[in-house]
Amino acid sequence: MTKRSFELYHYQIPVDSQVILRNRFLKVREGLLVKVQCGEHIGWGEIAPLPEFSQETLTQAKEQAKAWLYQWHEARSHNGEFLPMDDLYPSVAFGLSCALFEMRGKLQEKGCYESAPLCFGDPDELYAKLGKMTGEKIGKIKVGLYEANRDGMITDMLLEAIPDLAVRLDANRSWTKGKAQMFAKYVHPDRRARIQFLEEPCKSPQESLEFAEETGIRIAWDETVREKDFNLQKNVNVAGIVIKPTLVGSLEKCVQLIQQAHEFGMLAVISSSMESSFALTQLARISAQYTPCTVPGLDTLNLMDYQLVRPWPGCNLPLLSLDNTDFIQCIEKVDF
């Protein structure tokens, strides 16, 4: 039997003090790094439940990951195939599956590091980021935090100011159907086609579909993807799905969703859940491997004060190594 070992680290990274997740300020991003090893083969993953969005807490994720790793360490199967992940929390399943994919050489090294930049309403702030994009110019705007008419005016202003810009909008189910229609009222009909999609504008999927039908603004499923009974169906008003692996589950599950979307001619967009640079680089690799023609949504690193172990190309933030004990601690280690 091939000998195995694992290590589990806890990290804490200060973030921008203005970051708000739903109704709370996020001052520190916490998570776990996991290392698995079979013989000479090594793989890493990140487990980082997102407060206010993940169903599990970091404490719950840590205990579940430790239990799974101890079982894996003792398992007789070389690849750990007999340890299912179906019942694991999404963040745990994603981090552990990434580690196993890396260990088995199934995750390619090449990454898609050109991400759709987040837009905050000022066209001047976008020009520098968009100028660096070699392909299609795509920006992302968070809507639903303020008045719907304001969001509509800002979206229309950006589309008018940058004629070759396409935008993705994310409302997080924050609008009633009436407010969503108010948003659409302020976007010129001639510019609506450059809205690549609006993620979950209304409080219910049915209202979102009705909004799309009435306005011509196509939607994308985000929260709906993460519901247990989700069943993707082809619809002319649905442009695609947004996959946040930390909130969805194992890499195998994410790949299945991607393949299903592509079969329907839909976009599948890999998106971040404010992971560290470590997981962001893995998400970039996943995007390049499974959604090579689609710009991912990974522009969240600038919200943090540091990078973690693996740097994002071109990022100037300080890089923390595993021996930076002020920010990273080894909490579990089992040798061969």
Side-chain angles (χ1 to χ4, degrees):
M1 182 177 72
T2 305
K3 292 184 178 180
R4 299 177 174 186
S5 68
F6 70 83
E7 298 173 14
L8 195 62
Y9 297 83
H10 172 244
Y11 74 78
Q12 293 180 298
I13 302 176
V15 301
D16 188 318
S17 61
Q18 300 304 307
V19 174
I20 302 176
L21 294 180
R22 290 188 173 155
N23 297 316
R24 63 175 279 189
F25 283 96
L26 185 69
K27 297 181 179 180
V28 176
R29 188 68 171 107
E30 293 185 85
L32 308 170
L33 294 183
V34 56
K35 173 188 176 183
V36 295
Q37 183 168 358
C38 255
E40 299 299 317
H41 302 285
I42 297 173
W44 287 83
E46 178 173 331
I47 300 169
L50 183 62
E52 300 294 321
F53 288 86
S54 291
Q55 57 181 281
E56 68 275 18
T57 65
L58 182 61
T59 298
Q60 291 172 322
K62 178 178 66 175
E63 294 307 311
Q64 190 179 73
K66 285 167 61 176
W68 191 96
L69 286 165
Y70 274 105
Q71 285 185 292
W72 174 83
H73 180 258
E74 299 300 325
R76 300 188 64 84
S77 166
H78 173 73
N79 290 321
E81 303 290 356
F82 301 128
L83 287 180
M85 295 187 177
D86 296 342
D87 295 329
L88 296 181
Y89 293 123
S91 65
V92 177
F94 176 61
L96 292 174
S97 63
C98 277
L100 293 180
F101 264 62
E102 272 201 359
M103 187 186 72
R104 300 169 189 162
K106 292 184 177 181
L107 186 57
Q108 69 175 35
E109 289 299 321
K110 179 183 177 182
C112 181
Y113 296 102
E114 188 169 81
S115 178
L118 283 169
C119 314
F120 297 97
D122 184 354
D124 292 335
E125 294 179 359
L126 270 182
Y127 289 130
K129 288 185 176 180
L130 293 173
K132 296 177 182 178
M133 298 185 74
T134 58
E136 185 180 8
K137 292 182 180 179
I138 299 176
K140 182 173 182 178
I141 306 173
K142 284 284 188 180
V143 295
L145 298 176
Y146 305 101
E147 292 299 321
N149 58 346
R150 175 186 182 274
D151 288 331
M153 287 187 288
I154 288 177
T155 300
D156 191 67
M157 176 186 69
L158 287 169
L159 291 170
E160 183 179 22
I162 309 174
D164 57 346
L165 174 68
V167 295
R168 298 169 180 169
L169 309 175
D170 186 4
N172 290 124
R173 292 182 174 179
S174 58
W175 288 329
T176 62
K177 187 178 172 184
K179 286 189 175 182
Q181 289 170 328
M182 177 65 72
F183 161 84
K185 178 181 176 181
Y186 284 87
V187 180
H188 195 284
D190 291 344
R191 290 189 273 273
R192 292 180 186 179
R194 287 196 282 132
I195 297 177
Q196 194 173 65
F197 55 72
L198 170 52
E199 298 175 31
E200 308 256 4
C202 302
K203 297 184 183 298
S204 75
Q206 183 58 39
E207 287 180 324
S208 292
L209 287 171
E210 292 171 0
F211 162 83
E213 177 70 27
E214 294 165 6
T215 63
I217 297 174
R218 297 208 294 169
I219 63 170
W221 300 130
D222 179 5
E223 288 88 350
T224 300
V225 173
R226 307 194 291 270
E227 294 177 351
K228 288 185 178 180
D229 59 350
F230 175 68
N231 179 29
L232 183 61
Q233 297 180 351
K234 189 172 184 178
N235 188 306
V236 67
N237 294 310
V238 179
I241 59 175
V242 176
I243 300 173
K244 296 180 171 72
T246 287
L247 304 179
V248 169
S250 70
L251 189 46
E252 291 91 344
K253 182 176 180 180
C254 293
V255 171
Q256 289 175 357
L257 287 168
I258 292 168
Q259 292 172 342
Q260 190 175 12
H262 288 171
E263 287 173 3
F264 289 152
M266 295 179 177
L267 291 172
V269 179
I270 298 297
S271 185
S272 70
S273 301
M274 275 194 66
E275 296 91 349
S276 76
S277 66
F278 190 100
L280 286 177
T281 60
Q282 286 189 320
L283 290 170
R285 293 160 63 190
I286 292 166
S287 179
Q289 187 166 337
Y290 296 104
T291 64
C293 298
T294 303
V295 177
L298 307 177
D299 188 31
T300 55
L301 186 54
N302 61 331
L303 301 175
M304 300 193 183
D305 291 351
Y306 297 92
Q307 300 188 80
L308 182 66
V309 181
R310 293 180 180 175
W312 183 272
C315 180
N316 295 320
L317 289 175
L319 180 67
L320 299 174
S321 61
L322 289 175
D323 57 8
N324 283 104
T325 55
D326 289 339
F327 300 94
I328 309 170
Q329 296 85 35
C330 183
I331 57 175
E332 205 78 13
K333 183 175 182 179
V334 175
D335 291 320
F336 293 128

